[in-house]
Amino acid sequence: MMIEALIAVSLLSAFAVFLAPDKVAGKLAFVLSLLPLGGSLWMYSVFEETGASGNALLGGTLAFEETFQWVALGPYTLNWHVGLDGISMPLLVLTTVLTPLAILAAWTPIDTRQSQFYGLMLFMETSLLGVFSALDFFVWFVFWEMVLVPMYFLIGVWGGPRRKYAAIKFFVYTNVASLVMFIGFIALVFGLGDSVNTLDLPAIALALNDGQLGGLGAVDANTLKVVAFFAMFAGFGVKVPIVPFHTWLPDAHVEAPTPVSIMLAGVLLKMGTYALLRFNFTMLPGVAKDYALLIAVVAVVSVIYGAMLALAQSDLKRIVAYSSVSSMGYVILGLVAFTMYGIGGATFQMIAHGLISGLMFMAVGVIYNTTHTRMVSDMSGLANKMPITVAVFVAGAFGYMGLPLMAGFAAEFFIFVGAFESTVLAGTALGTHGLALFTAAAMFGIVIVAGYLLFAMQRTLFGSFDLETDYEVGRAAFHDVAPLVVLILLVILLGVQPDIFYTMIQDAVGEMDLIAGGGH
């Protein structure tokens, strides 16, 4: 019952903070957020002892699994089914690590309706824990949609001048995407007919991979697979986001307060890539392989286009926001490789990017708290005024560039190795190792990333101090700097010892190249 306890503690903490006075809400929320963190770290420490192995959707043995019948819905049984494998365990830990750090980062900028703000942050954590642990589609979908509610209010109430526009745009994009995804998945369930009588994700995945999908009305099985695959791909692609579904993200990030941007980039975007891995690439690997060329194009376009858009920005927050679009392109490239290193690297990139992007948004937030501007052209020479913040910002930027011995390098290295090994494009005109060409193009994205980050750092952090402001610029408060230091240490730790997560990830994804009928 550990997963249920984790979710319950987080939910009860949210209600407790809602009822607390504003003057203690921030500190209470931080203390209570340490409870799920402690629980998840204990679960991680005993993960191997539980005997967990393999993939949750491919008959693997799960850790902390619980299942019982919930309610009958026509011919289908809805079950409370939760459990963790080597893919979901690291994401659960990532969620519980970033939440208290984001709450700590909120102490300076959030000064109104604090109990509501921190309560919504904890409610969002509750929803995310459910997304990464639920194994019944109905339960999973409830948690998936629950995430939208706190995020909408966190942006719409505590955001910047255009917060209402950004919140509505975020809600409309992601809600419509959820509807498209829902239709695609339910069509698959109906197409399976009597072969399944549940919405249990492992049962549906095994039935699909056993070839039990039939037609649906006038639509034959093969067409249904393709239509459902791209409906889900588009729905999840909005959440990632991939080009061309990315336009909601910069607006949401720019208008959202710093702690919300930390959770949005650090965890919420991973919902999309996690769902793509679970649904598209695990349930319908044959379709993914058949359309691997198209998916690889989408991945590389996201990498290059996101990086080019970041290069054109003058707002530090927009620069980091577009960097996320570029980084998520690497995840798609790793998934479509259908090799152990490719899929494993894509999953590891979710964790690495979660830490690094959270760090970067946090650093930009600390700079903004002090200077009250995020414009590159408005400031210079901050290194002498904010040495610790600037040092961490520079380290995080080099992590984004893929500096060795940092988590970003390990993730991208695994992805590139897996993509170079891949034979998924063997049936195309590009030949057996055609994906290597896309990998080479994606590597060029690293050069662009280095270009815009180095320019932004040179312009804002170094040189003589120049800032037209009425505010005194000095060292940031301890509670602002402490989360930055924790995150950069975690980024370095995962870069030096990627096996902290990569061993369990590799165990969970090792058989996925086989179900696609190729790869290594």
Side-chain angles (χ1 to χ4, degrees), residues 258-278:
T258 295
V260 178
S261 289
I262 293 168
M263 295 302 294
L264 176 58
V267 188
L268 265 73
L269 302 189
K270 311 310 174 289
M271 290 169 56
T273 49
Y274 172 78
L276 282 172
L277 172 56
R278 286 294 199 210

Side-chain angles (χ1 to χ4, degrees), residues 265 270 323-324 327-328 349-358 400:
K270 311 310 174 289
S323 299
S324 292
S327 295
M328 290 299 96
Q349 170 74 339
M350 298 181 205
I351 311 302
H353 179 265
L355 295 174
I356 297 173
S357 62
Y400 239 131

Side-chain angles (χ1 to χ4, degrees), residues 290-337:
D290 290 342
Y291 290 89
L293 180 60
L294 176 59
I295 297 171
V297 169
V298 170
V300 173
V301 168
S302 294
V303 170
I304 302 298
Y305 188 64
M308 294 297 290
L309 287 175
L311 187 63
Q313 305 306 312
S314 57
D315 184 319
L316 281 176
K317 217 174 185 187
R318 278 190 176 271
I319 291 174
V320 181
Y322 280 117
S323 299
S324 292
V325 177
S326 181
S327 295
M328 290 299 96
Y330 291 116
V331 176
I332 307 300
L333 183 66
L335 292 177
V336 79

Side-chain angles (χ1 to χ4, degrees), residues 187-207:
L188 284 177
V189 174
F190 289 163
L192 288 170
D194 296 334
S195 60
V196 295
N197 60 359
T198 177
L199 293 183
D200 194 61
L201 294 178
I204 293 170
L206 291 172

